[in-house]
Amino acid sequence: APERVLDLWRLDELRGIAVRDGALELGALTTYAEIRASAECRAHAPILVEAAATIGAAQIQNRGTLGGNVVNASPAGDTLPVLLALDATLVAVGPRGEREIAAADFWPAYRRTELAPDELLARVRIPRSDGRVEHFRKVGTRCRHPHRHHLCIDSGPGHHEFKKALQQCKAFCGDLLPADAKQRSAALEKFYKERGWRYNKETPIETRVLRAV
């Protein structure tokens, strides 16, 4: 256990939900309950609202925060695949000022983030994209997180055109596979064989993940 723990709960600078400069901004201390109640979130990031609704009971939703879920860096984090699908930007703050980190670069490895030891996560920025079709699905039990999986899909704007929608579609799975490519392939092969499905190693990983889900 750490020798010292710093309580950030009273830092109002890390709170708030607003739309600024074409993006939805959420302070790191925004709770899941606040996300669910936010008209801005429902309008511009409905899958984030869907994900927040699946996290714990009322006590957790009233106290748990978006920033905590992000920085905890657990593969089982409900909001992580959402932020990846929405091309979110994580804004870090420290002695050297602010810097922006793309969600795609924020989690370099298991339980690790790109934050420096003297930095905090200040807020999350999600670009607005009108006409986007999004869906979040959480499947599994709460008793053991290795059996709980998430799938987040974003078709991007132009979804009414089928070919264009396929080109722009992004899908992210949480808490499903190991990070290492060989381990991913082995895990998928086992998953298929246990269900009597045909397994093709030549099929791209992303396609096999979607089929498995």
Side-chain angles (χ1 to χ4, degrees):
E3 294 181 0
R4 297 180 181 181
V5 177
L6 182 63
D7 186 1
L8 307 177
W9 194 249
R10 297 183 181 180
L11 294 181
D12 291 337
E13 293 83 357
L14 300 183
R15 299 185 183 280
I17 301 173
V19 178
R20 299 189 185 93
D21 301 324
L24 175 67
E25 290 194 356
L26 302 96
L29 290 183
T30 301
T31 66
Y32 306 125
E34 289 169 338
I35 291 173
R36 295 185 65 186
S38 167
E40 292 88 350
C41 289
R42 290 196 299 270
H44 304 297
I47 52 173
L48 184 59
V49 178
E50 290 182 40
T54 71
I55 300 175
Q59 302 94 317
I60 299 298
Q61 294 191 5
N62 287 327
R63 185 72 178 185
T65 65
L66 176 62
N69 201 236
V70 169
V71 176
N72 187 44
S74 168
D78 297 84
T79 66
L80 274 60
V82 173
L83 298 180
L84 287 166
L86 296 181
D87 294 322
T89 297
L90 294 305
V91 181
V93 63
R96 294 168 295 282
E98 291 188 353
R99 67 185 181 106
E100 296 185 348
I101 308 168
D105 301 321
F106 191 79
W107 300 282
Y110 177 75
R111 292 283 190 174
R112 290 181 54 194
T113 75
E114 281 295 326
L115 290 175
D118 58 356
E119 287 183 319
L120 295 173
L121 178 65
R123 58 189 178 277
V124 175
R125 301 184 76 250
I126 298 173
R128 291 178 56 183
S129 181
D130 298 331
R132 178 169 59 196
V133 172
E134 310 160 354
H135 185 65
F136 174 86
R137 181 70 183 272
K138 179 175 178 178
V139 181
T141 61
R142 292 183 181 179
C143 59
R144 295 184 62 190
H145 77 262
H147 300 291
R148 186 174 70 246
H149 309 309
H150 315 83
L151 174 64
C152 184
I153 300 177
D154 176 14
S155 75
H159 61 86
H160 54 283
E161 300 177 22
F162 182 71
K163 184 176 180 180
K164 189 174 182 180
L166 287 178
Q167 293 173 340
Q168 296 180 347
C169 183
K170 294 173 291 183
F172 293 89
C173 299
D175 196 25
L176 182 62
L177 297 171
D180 180 79
K182 290 183 179 179
Q183 293 181 2
R184 284 203 307 267
S185 182
L188 281 171
E189 185 171 6
K190 179 181 178 182
F191 184 93
Y192 270 55
K193 288 183 176 179
E194 287 176 348
R195 287 155 180 79
W197 299 348
R198 186 176 63 180
Y199 179 81
N200 183 3
K201 291 185 178 180
E202 302 303 319
T203 304
I205 283 286
E206 292 78 7
T207 304
R208 283 185 261 139
V209 169
L210 289 176
R211 287 177 181 171
V213 173

